[in-house]
Amino acid sequence: MTGLARTETTGRDRPDLSPSVAARHACRNGMATHTAGVANGFVQGNLAILPEKLAAAFHRFCQLNPKPCPIIGMSDVGDPRIPALGLDLDIRTDLPRYRIWRDGEIVEEPTDIMAHWRDDLVAFVLGCSFSFEEALLEEGLPIRHIERDVRVPMFRTNIACSPAGPFAGPMVVTMRPFKPADAIRAIQITSRFPSVHGAPVHIGLPQSIGIADLAKPDYGDPVPVEADEIPVFWACGVTPQSVIAAAKVPFAITHAPGLMLVTDLRNKALAVL
């Protein structure tokens, strides 16, 4: 599969393209810098790519930890395509930025992984909270990082994931501040989307889950929490990056936090109620 050619078509070249396909084509041509607010209505996903010899253990890790790691798509060994998520999708080119990991350390952040793709790699696409954010916005709930046009703040916690093989470590969470009444409504809405992290894992008291300072996220950008608001925390698909770092696996590829894969799935199709 490594000989597949990179597509050089932009959304401007093809005005008939759907928003999701146009977003992927923008990534292929180095024109995408973020995916928040892009292709509204379409599911975005986190990415983890591992050698086949580690794929079974990682798959088991995801099964044991469905809140932070809900699998929505998986490739065949050595195949950069995942037709169930998009017929033209190419996992090697269709994200704005990737992270290359060696022995648990980030060694490169390229805009495509053509040079790093191997015939033994398996790609996992995990549900992303961007999907339930659409439902929150439709209900009129304010989302601070979208208002400020920054990445959602993400934090490593002291909540231990269930281990599988070499994969073990803390859960990563995203944080969104809400007034108490809006927080209750946010819980109700996001509970309908279990395949994209579902209901929050924690509300208020960040110190009790190991977060010392909300102004210093481990990933993403800080957002203010006003005096009449409480922080609400959802499990996050960046969790595999923390786990890959802890496991010090020889080689892995992930997305850069906040820069996602845009799929052809519809957000509304993921709602269970």
Side-chain angles (χ1 to χ4, degrees):
M1 292 294 177
T2 54
L4 292 171
R6 178 169 178 159
T7 304
E8 297 294 345
T9 303
T10 71
R12 288 183 297 181
D13 298 328
R14 293 280 307 281
D16 58 318
L17 293 177
S18 76
S20 57
V21 176
R24 294 198 296 272
H25 285 194
C27 292
R28 293 176 198 178
N29 290 277
M31 298 167 60
T33 57
H34 65 89
T35 58
V38 172
N40 288 330
F42 292 90
V43 174
Q44 298 191 26
N46 304 278
L47 179 67
I49 301 174
L50 293 156
E52 181 182 13
K53 65 182 180 181
L54 292 171
F58 184 76
H59 189 264
R60 178 62 175 159
F61 177 82
C62 293
Q63 290 178 318
L64 292 172
N65 300 280
K67 290 285 281 187
C69 301
I71 296 175
I72 60 172
M74 182 176 172
S75 76
D76 290 330
V77 179
D79 191 347
R81 313 289 185 182
I82 308 179
L85 301 183
L87 290 177
D88 79 322
L89 186 152
D90 189 330
I91 210 72
R92 304 167 302 177
T93 60
D94 288 3
L95 285 78
R97 189 168 297 278
Y98 301 78
R99 283 182 164 180
I100 310 300
W101 298 77
R102 295 190 185 278
D103 300 317
E105 299 291 335
I106 301 166
V107 297
E108 189 178 346
E109 291 196 344
T111 55
D112 70 67
I113 54 170
M114 298 291 287
H116 298 279
W117 189 259
R118 304 181 341 200
D119 288 337
D120 68 331
L121 295 179
V122 178
F124 296 84
V125 180
L126 311 175
C128 168
S129 58
F130 287 178
S131 290
F132 68 60
E133 286 183 345
E134 179 182 79
L136 295 175
L137 290 171
E138 286 180 350
E139 291 289 322
L141 298 185
I143 300 179
R144 185 68 37 78
H145 67 273
I146 293 179
E147 292 175 341
R148 296 191 168 226
D149 195 26
V150 297
R151 293 180 300 166
V152 64
M154 295 164 265
F155 302 87
R156 288 192 296 269
T157 71
N158 60 13
I159 303 171
C161 293
S162 298
F167 300 108
M171 183 186 299
V172 175
V173 297
T174 56
M175 188 281 292
R176 295 162 187 81
F178 290 104
K179 290 180 170 59
D182 287 344
I184 293 170
R185 185 62 183 138
I187 294 168
Q188 294 171 329
I189 293 168
T190 57
S191 296
R192 300 172 53 226
F193 295 88
S195 60
V196 286
H197 306 307
V201 296
H202 187 74
I203 299 173
L205 301 176
Q207 294 83 1
S208 69
I209 57 171
I211 299 173
D213 188 348
L214 290 178
K216 296 179 180 179
D218 295 294
Y219 314 95
D221 300 302
V223 298
V225 180
E226 304 299 340
D228 61 344
E229 295 176 330
I230 55 176
V232 184
F233 301 92
W234 280 266
C236 176
V238 172
T239 297
Q241 302 200 20
S242 180
V243 171
I244 285 168
K248 299 187 183 301
V249 298
F251 179 76
I253 302 172
T254 67
H255 67 294
L259 305 178
M260 322 300 290
L261 174 69
V262 180
T263 78
D264 290 344
L265 301 179
R266 292 280 187 171
N267 288 326
K268 290 181 178 179
L270 300 183
V272 297
L273 295 173

